[in-house]
């Protein structure tokens, strides 16, 4: 299962179990109130109180299990997202360093009086008009007949990087994922455990 799929699945389960915990807690409070208002309430409502307590504990235990796994998922997701982000930053810095080296070479060629393609001159002007003007000034003193090809490829298009979070979502989820069980099944299991004890 991919991390993105697991995050959706367990997020839904956490919400479902959280809602049921609230419902059971409310039922327990209402039952406590009934016990207080009824003579011999503890004895009369004992089975119901035990059943509610067992259901609440079972739901809480499963909720905690899902929450703990979700924390592990989020840590793994963040690690993959950070890794992808760092990779993209490194690539961008490498490209910037290569472009700077090309720009400096174009400025050197112009300064020596060589002919360079208009595209290369344009790149130098966009980078630094002062550097371009200084190179052109030096070119007047160093007239050279050498002609160069462009340092940039015609088909160079800006590279689009994927969203690091999407890359992280596409990795495999960590092992040890808890089995997904409906709240009703968890509560039924708790009630079944109580009947077995009787």
């Amino acid at each position: 299962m991919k991390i993105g799929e697991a995050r959706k699945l367990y997020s839904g389960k956490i919400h479902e179990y959280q809602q049921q915990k609230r419902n059971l807690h409310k039922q327990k409070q209402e039952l406590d109130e009934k016990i207080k208002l009824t003579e011999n309430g503890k004895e009369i409502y004992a089975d119901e109180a035990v059943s509610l307590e067992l259901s609440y504990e079972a739901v809480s235990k499963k909720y905690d299990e899902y929450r703990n796994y979700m924390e592990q998922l989020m840590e793994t997701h963040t690690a993959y997202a950070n890794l992808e982000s760092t990779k993209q930053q490194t690539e961008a810095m490498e490209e910037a360093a290569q472009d700077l080296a090309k720009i400096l070479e174009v400025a050197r060629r112009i300064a020596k009086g060589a002919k360079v393609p208009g595209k290369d001159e344009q790149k130098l002007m966009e980078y630094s008009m002062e550097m371009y003007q200084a190179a052109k000034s030096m070119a007047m003193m160093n007239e050279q007949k050498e002609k160069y090809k462009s340092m940039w490829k015609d088909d160079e298009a800006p590279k689009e990087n994927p969203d690091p979070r999407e890359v992280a979502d596409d990795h495999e989820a960590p092992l040890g994922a808890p089995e997904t069980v409906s709240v009703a099944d968890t509560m039924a299991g708790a009630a079944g455990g109580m009947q077995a004890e009787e």
Side-chain angles (χ1 to χ4, degrees):
M1 178 182 328
K2 301 289 184 196
I3 290 176
E5 297 164 348
R7 286 175 57 202
K8 286 179 187 172
L9 174 67
Y10 288 101
S11 177
K13 285 295 176 187
I14 287 169
H15 179 72
E16 181 183 344
Y17 275 78
Q18 189 175 35
Q19 288 294 104
Q20 190 60 41
K21 274 180 65 174
R22 283 189 194 125
N23 292 340
L24 290 170
H25 181 71
K26 185 178 176 184
Q27 289 174 22
K28 282 173 58 177
Q29 287 178 325
E30 290 170 357
L31 183 62
D32 287 345
E33 201 57 40
K34 276 171 52 176
I35 290 172
K36 287 178 190 174
L37 297 175
T38 307
E39 190 175 319
N40 295 328
K42 280 191 175 187
E43 291 80 28
I44 295 171
Y45 296 110
D47 287 346
E48 190 176 340
V50 169
S51 176
L52 268 174
E53 186 61 36
L54 288 173
S55 293
Y56 184 81
E57 286 176 13
V59 168
S60 293
K61 182 179 177 185
K62 205 61 161 159
Y63 170 80
D64 290 342
E65 184 181 357
Y66 291 152
R67 242 187 64 234
N68 291 338
Y69 186 69
M70 182 60 109
E71 287 174 10
Q72 183 183 357
L73 269 175
M74 293 310 295
E75 287 173 6
T76 304
H77 180 270
T78 300
Y80 280 125
N82 289 342
L83 181 67
E84 180 65 21
S85 184
T86 301
K87 177 182 153 194
Q88 289 176 10
Q89 289 171 355
T90 301
E91 289 171 359
M93 288 174 28
E94 287 173 358
E95 287 175 22
Q98 290 171 354
D99 281 349
L100 179 59
K102 289 177 184 178
I103 285 168
L104 293 174
E105 179 60 20
V106 169
R108 184 192 67 76
R109 289 176 179 179
I110 291 173
K112 285 191 157 199
K115 299 275 184 203
V116 297
K119 177 182 177 180
D120 289 16
E121 280 192 41
Q122 183 66 35
K123 292 273 189 180
L124 178 58
M125 280 190 274
E126 288 170 2
Y127 180 77
S128 170
M129 186 55 87
E130 292 81 17
M131 189 183 292
Y132 173 76
Q133 289 172 344
K136 280 298 205 178
S137 296
M138 291 179 72
M140 289 184 209
M141 295 184 279
N142 300 322
E143 191 67 35
Q144 203 182 61
K145 300 295 180 207
E146 196 168 349
K147 191 172 182 177
Y148 289 98
K149 290 184 178 181
S150 176
M151 303 247 336
W152 284 268
K153 297 176 185 170
D154 289 332
D155 60 350
E156 270 186 32
K159 189 168 133 185
E160 289 190 32
N161 291 319
D163 182 344
R165 292 172 300 204
E166 290 176 5
V167 171
D169 278 344
D170 203 35
H171 279 78
E172 288 297 316
L175 297 176
E179 179 184 347
T180 56
V181 180
S182 73
V183 173
D185 289 346
T186 300
M187 291 175 55
M194 183 183 148
Q195 291 170 356
E197 288 174 15
E198 294 174 358

